[in-house]
Amino acid sequence: MLSPLLRLRTIPTLARSSRLLSSSPRAAALAASSSAPASAADIEAERANPWKGTRTDGGPTLNLIGGEWTAGEGVQSWIDVNDPSTQRLLTRVPETSHAEMTRIVDRAQDAFLEWRDVSVLRRQAVMLQLQSLIREHHDDIARSIVLEQGKTFADAKGDVLRGLQVVDAACAMPSLIMGEKLEVSKDMDTETRRVPLGVGAAICPFNFPAMIPLWSLPMAIATGNSLILKPSERDPGAAMIIAELAEKAGLPKGVLSILHGSVPAVKFLCEEPRIKAISFVGSDKAGKYIYDTAGALGKRVQANLGAKNHCIIMPDANKNFALNSIVGAAFGAAGQRCMALSVLVTVGEAQDWVPELVARAKGLKVGNGFDPETEICPLITPAAKARVEGLIASAERDGGKITLDGRGVVVPGYPDGNFVGPTILEVDTTMECYQEEIFGPVLCIVKARDLDHAIEIINTNRYGNGTAIFTQDGATARKFERNVEAGQIGINVPIPVPLPMFAWSGNKASVLGQTSLYGKLGIEFWTQHKTTTSLWRSEDAKSTRATTSMPTHR
């Protein structure tokens, strides 16, 4: 059994931290290498990391190639992964060589040829075991996310849980991929079955290091495909732990591969002819490149891109509930969610609630994710911080109002962290900060005359991932639901991400491709139909004459 890391609820005092430092030379050296103090949980994580493919002591993160954990040969460069709270080096990710990428596909193709013939019950058994192992190591995966991505521990656990729910759903795969059969005429049957595609690839973003890999892995593998997973080069640890758990769950070697890298790895996956399908979540630019390049070569592609999720607050809304919900949805995970609530549309007198909204946002604590009181975590990189602060500045330049300014926030003990505090901008729809996906703890407020005007604002925006409304009037809610142009709609629900029995359903410029990450449409993406018509004539058992007329299936 793998050793669990430190339980967050028992984070030691400063004195105990000193003892940890003295008792672990490796942890002591790592803590000393940073200009900012490592938290006690950081130190313990360094001391106790038991995983094969990921490191937190500055060592290399490894590829998984045919069951072998290796950086591979011919690595020319490495990508540093730093703790976003301290800039302390955690691990280095290889830019995998072309030869090793080819070897990964070789192994994945070989594994697929055997895995596709494994019974659906055996594949189900692997999913059941993986489900159990993820539950057992839920906290371990979450701690890796806090270290590399920066999320609060509670939010990181939610990241894992929303991925685990798709594993739960995949455990029902024998029922989910059942085909259809009909006797279309006497002694003639037509049967439709779902069969796997072959080798698939999943290219994952930094903002959900566990959830997005777990939205792809069970859907692809439980349907009989092999999968090459490319985690984000910014925070690969959670995916590496999940891959090791899949190995322990009994997944045969090569069915799941891990490929690390940046642009060259993406380009390779798009162009390699043996890869039949690519699932992507990330930025507009990368997603359009993948969709255009891989799609032109005949691959299936689903690309989930940017978002600018609007929320309408009506004057009849439950004010306390609505304001708390909006603050949480706008600033949770430092706004680094594709379903973050990034625009608030105030209708009529609801604009008068803005000062109270500002007061609640101002009260949120910014800090390191291992601190149980932290509510706003750091951004992923210094470059992300600089971009967010630049977009905040643009609001004032374009004539907007910075009602709450999170730039320059000071977090004691973490002078090098990528922190931006909660920020509220009062803007109009012509401004850069409104038109761009900010991906930070920034809420834009736009005024609307009435419900029709508010819906018009949402429908004019190019994105359509999600939207929400807060109201206590059923007719208002129904009109909003019918007329708004967004794929995922919340009524008094600020982040309406559907559960796995439904399908992810972003639309407009937020998605390219007509399938989904999970649910029935997810199964459609990872399988193809095979239809067989067969005739076993009962009279042929005794007849000796042939018929030459056209079969009519009567």
Side-chain angles (χ1 to χ4, degrees), residues 201-221:
I203 302 171
C204 303
F206 75 84
N207 57 323
F208 284 100
M211 185 181 80
I212 299 300
L214 287 172
W215 282 6
S216 299
L217 186 158
M219 289 290 101
I221 287 175

Side-chain angles (χ1 to χ4, degrees), residues 124-193:
Q124 179 191 44
V126 172
M127 289 298 111
L128 287 165
Q129 187 62 26
L130 178 61
Q131 175 193 53
S132 175
L133 288 167
I134 292 172
R135 285 200 175 112
E136 181 182 348
H137 296 285
H138 194 150
D139 286 4
D140 295 339
I141 303 169
R143 273 185 284 273
S144 174
I145 293 171
V146 178
L147 277 172
E148 293 184 350
Q149 202 273 348
K151 290 186 182 188
T152 67
F153 185 68
D155 194 33
K157 290 195 71 171
D159 186 327
V160 180
L161 178 61
R162 289 309 299 261
L164 177 59
Q165 288 168 344
V166 177
V167 181
D168 294 342
C171 291
M173 196 56 71
S175 298
L176 296 175
I177 61 170
M178 286 182 67
E180 298 175 325
K181 187 173 183 177
L182 178 66
E183 186 176 12
V184 295
S185 68
K186 183 176 184 296
D187 294 336
M188 180 176 287
D189 301 322
T190 297
E191 176 187 12
T192 298
R193 296 181 287 135

Side-chain angles (χ1 to χ4, degrees), residues 211-372:
M211 185 181 80
I212 299 300
L214 287 172
W215 282 6
S216 299
L217 186 158
M219 289 290 101
I221 287 175
T223 52
N225 302 281
S226 60
L227 182 70
I228 300 171
L229 183 70
K230 197 202 86 65
S232 170
E233 63 275 18
R234 298 175 184 177
D235 49 10
M240 302 309 297
I241 295 172
I242 291 165
E244 186 171 341
L245 295 180
E247 184 180 67
K248 291 179 177 294
L251 194 66
K253 294 178 179 180
V255 175
L256 175 63
S257 306
I258 303 291
L259 167 61
H260 292 295
S262 57
V263 174
V266 172
K267 185 174 185 292
F268 172 85
L269 292 173
C270 290
E271 296 176 355
E272 164 58 52
R274 290 172 293 177
I275 293 175
K276 304 302 182 183
I278 299 178
S279 178
F280 170 80
V281 178
S283 70
D284 288 1
K285 182 178 179 181
K288 289 173 183 176
Y289 170 82
I290 292 166
Y291 186 79
D292 291 343
T293 304
L297 295 172
K299 302 180 192 299
R300 289 190 184 185
V301 181
Q302 57 176 3
N304 294 270
L305 313 178
K308 197 77 177 180
N309 305 305
H310 293 56
C311 173
I312 297 173
I313 185 166
M314 299 297 294
D316 70 334
N318 180 320
K319 183 172 76 170
N320 185 60
F321 173 73
L323 293 182
N324 282 339
S325 298
I326 291 163
V327 168
F331 303 119
Q336 298 174 120
R337 293 171 176 157
C338 58
M339 284 292 286
L341 197 164
S342 51
V343 179
L344 175 63
V345 184
T346 59
V347 175
E349 297 173 0
Q351 177 67 23
D352 297 337
W353 301 350
V354 170
E356 191 169 343
L357 178 74
V358 170
R360 296 188 190 200
K362 191 182 293 185
L364 297 174
K365 180 178 177 180
V366 181
N368 177 273
F370 282 114
D371 181 347

